[in-house]
Amino acid sequence: MYDYLIVGAGLFGAVFAYEAGRRGKTCLVIDKRDHIGGNVYTEEIEGIQVHKYGAHIFHTNSQTIWDYVNRFAEFNRYTNSPIANYKGEIYNLPFNMNTFNKLWGVASPKEARQKIEEQRLAAGITEPQNLEEQAISLVGTDIYEKLIKGYTEKQWGRSARELPAFIIKRLPVRFTYDNNYFNDRYQGIPVGGYRAIIEKMLAGADIELNVDFFAARDELMHRAKKIVYTGMIDQYYNYRYGVLEYRSLHFETKVLDESNFQGNAVVNYTDRETPYTRIIEHKHFEFGTQDKTVITEEYPKEWKPGDEPYYPINNEKNNEIYQKYKALADAERDVIFGGRLATYKYYDMHQVIGAALTAVEREFEEK
């Protein structure tokens, strides 16, 4: 019998398995997919590390987390500087002085602030009630119409007026000529891809792929003393209080017989008419010079049970349902819930690692 059955070979499960192994514990890691790594999985195509489930750029302000992840890989100097394509017009992201200059011809932060304030006042917004009003109050009408509205409505599948304001409150807006999307001190892409990191973390565990936990739940639960569960929390409890909602994604990956398709790793398509939200050109994550290139078009789609869940819809209704499931999870003695699906949160990678290390500390250090 194993000490731990870890359901899900993604980042949370891999960190827990590694730390449990260091403490002399035995782990069986299962995953319903045919590979380890969860959504951070990368596969090599034409000598290029392809981010199979969307762009994953590691960034953190925590020295502890940065030192931890560097045990498993060397990171390059990649800096996330996406650009926006609005009907062929190119703008820098996040919104900064380069964006404001291209859009309005302004050259100083004072002029940019004045322009945004003029547009906010013209829109008559004092207390933003939805995403549209929040966005206009932050960056003005022009930027909202060109660079936010279409992208956001594609992403969430509903009008920006129906979306809560909090979704966009953390939108980076800078009055400097700085195209670095993240403010974090540490940033980069692991040389050789994320798969190598997960392989090192899981080196001491037994792994079984193409295994659906729910198809053999009773048998699997008898193979270990405790469970680390990283799947959907509502599914674990057989949807007792209802189904938690998500947005899903569809990826179209193509090999192109050219060396450089778009000149940047990530280009967002912000008009409503283009069906995908962005195109990722993977070689630019590692400054590749291969003769060919690999691109992925990313299409948002409505989620239904059985689809891959990506973004939790953290509105009031869903959060109320989640709290009921959380109360059940908190009462479990032999099940540890972790990761974005089990906690119904959108986590960045550094946050997943931090949460996993906290769970490890709670499990091993308090005894």
Side-chain angles (χ1 to χ4, degrees):
M1 177 176 278
Y2 291 93
D3 292 307
Y4 295 93
L5 168 69
I6 298 176
V7 181
L11 205 46
F12 188 98
V15 170
F16 194 97
Y18 175 76
E19 292 297 329
R22 287 180 58 218
R23 291 161 173 81
K25 305 297 183 181
T26 57
C27 296
L28 171 63
V29 181
I30 64 169
D31 203 288
K32 66 180 181 181
R33 290 173 172 170
D34 63 359
H35 61 75
I36 60 173
N39 288 349
V40 307
Y41 174 72
T42 50
E43 63 178 340
E44 189 171 309
I45 301 174
E46 297 290 340
I48 297 163
Q49 291 296 325
V50 173
H51 296 215
K52 191 175 171 92
Y53 303 99
H56 283 80
I57 297 121
F58 199 91
H59 59 98
T60 182
N61 259 331
S62 168
Q63 176 87 51
T64 302
I65 299 292
W66 183 244
D67 288 345
Y68 185 83
V69 78
N70 272 268
R71 296 181 193 178
F72 306 100
E74 176 189 351
F75 281 72
N76 68 17
R77 61 169 181 81
Y78 178 81
T79 299
N80 187 30
S81 303
I83 59 173
N85 183 320
Y86 177 76
K87 300 182 178 180
E89 298 174 14
I90 301 298
Y91 296 93
N92 289 108
L93 297 175
F95 308 127
N96 65 64
M97 285 305 300
N98 290 307
T99 323
F100 308 143
N101 176 264
K102 174 79 181 278
L103 194 62
W104 298 317
V106 300
S108 73
K110 182 179 180 181
E111 292 173 293
R113 289 181 190 276
Q114 286 174 340
K115 196 77 176 174
I116 290 171
E117 182 63 9
E118 285 169 16
Q119 295 189 357
R120 186 186 69 78
L121 290 172
I125 298 164
T126 51
E127 297 215 4
Q129 299 300 307
N130 55 48
L131 188 146
E132 176 171 292
E133 293 179 357
Q134 181 69 56
I136 291 171
S137 72
L138 281 171
V139 291
T141 310
D142 291 341
I143 287 180
Y144 168 70
E145 293 288 346
K146 283 195 170 187
L147 304 182
I148 296 174
K149 179 178 167 64
Y151 184 93
T152 303
E153 292 184 345
K154 285 189 290 189
Q155 183 80 352
W156 293 100
R158 40 187 59 79
S159 164
R161 293 178 183 174
E162 297 172 29
L163 293 166
F166 76 81
I167 290 177
I168 210 161
K169 277 187 175 176
R170 293 173 60 198
L171 183 77
V173 180
R174 296 205 188 100
F175 294 91
T176 58
Y177 291 89
D178 180 5
N179 297 325
N180 178 7
Y181 196 86
F182 301 121
N183 287 319
D184 294 320
R185 183 178 176 189
Y186 305 106
Q187 183 175 176
I189 300 283
V191 177
Y194 288 97
R195 181 176 59 181
I197 291 177
I198 305 296
E199 285 173 349
K200 288 179 183 175
M201 288 180 173
L202 294 179
D206 289 341
I207 302 167
E208 294 181 10
L209 301 175
N210 297 303
V211 174
D212 183 348
F213 173 72
F214 295 99
R217 181 171 180 160
D218 290 341
E219 184 266 324
L220 286 166
M221 290 181 78
H222 283 100
R223 295 178 67 182
K225 297 170 188 171
K226 296 187 82 168
I227 297 171
V228 177
Y229 178 78
T230 70
M232 295 189 297
I233 190 169
D234 52 348
Q235 187 178 16
Y236 186 87
Y237 289 109
N238 201 27
Y239 308 107
R240 184 183 308 180
Y241 300 122
V243 176
L244 291 168
E245 296 175 299
Y246 292 86
R247 285 292 283 171
S248 192
L249 294 170
H250 170 69
F251 301 99
E252 292 278 349
T253 297
K254 306 169 185 175
V255 177
L256 303 181
D257 197 15
E258 56 185 291
S259 63
N260 190 356
F261 172 72
Q262 64 185 17
N264 206 53
V266 181
V267 177
N268 292 354
Y269 285 76
T270 60
D271 62 279
R272 194 69 180 87
E273 295 73 29
T274 303
Y276 42 81
T277 49
R278 60 183 180 174
I279 294 180
I280 299 160
E281 187 168 9
H282 302 270
K283 71 189 308 177
H284 295 305
F285 288 129
E286 295 196 60
F287 316 106
T289 57
Q290 297 88 347
D291 292 335
K292 295 186 179 184
T293 194
V294 181
I295 66 166
T296 299
E297 296 166 350
E298 191 171 302
Y299 297 81
K301 67 173 192 172
E302 205 66 40
W303 176 87
K304 61 184 185 302
D307 291 341
E308 199 64 50
Y310 286 95
Y311 301 105
I313 298 177
N314 290 115
N315 57 20
E316 190 174 343
K317 174 189 132 188
N318 283 300
N319 287 342
E320 282 181 8
I321 294 172
Y322 168 67
Q323 287 303 322
K324 294 178 182 177
Y325 286 122
K326 184 178 184 298
L328 296 179
D330 288 345
E332 298 276 3
R333 298 187 62 185
D334 296 323
V335 186
I336 297 164
F337 292 82
R340 60 194 180 85
L341 300 181
T343 58
Y344 201 61
K345 284 192 183 87
Y346 182 74
Y347 277 134
D348 286 329
M349 289 178 286
H350 67 286
Q351 293 168 319
V352 174
I353 291 172
L357 292 174
T358 298
V360 166
E361 188 175 333
R362 195 179 299 123
E363 178 70 5
F364 297 110
E365 309 303 336
E366 291 181 359
K367 295 177 180 177

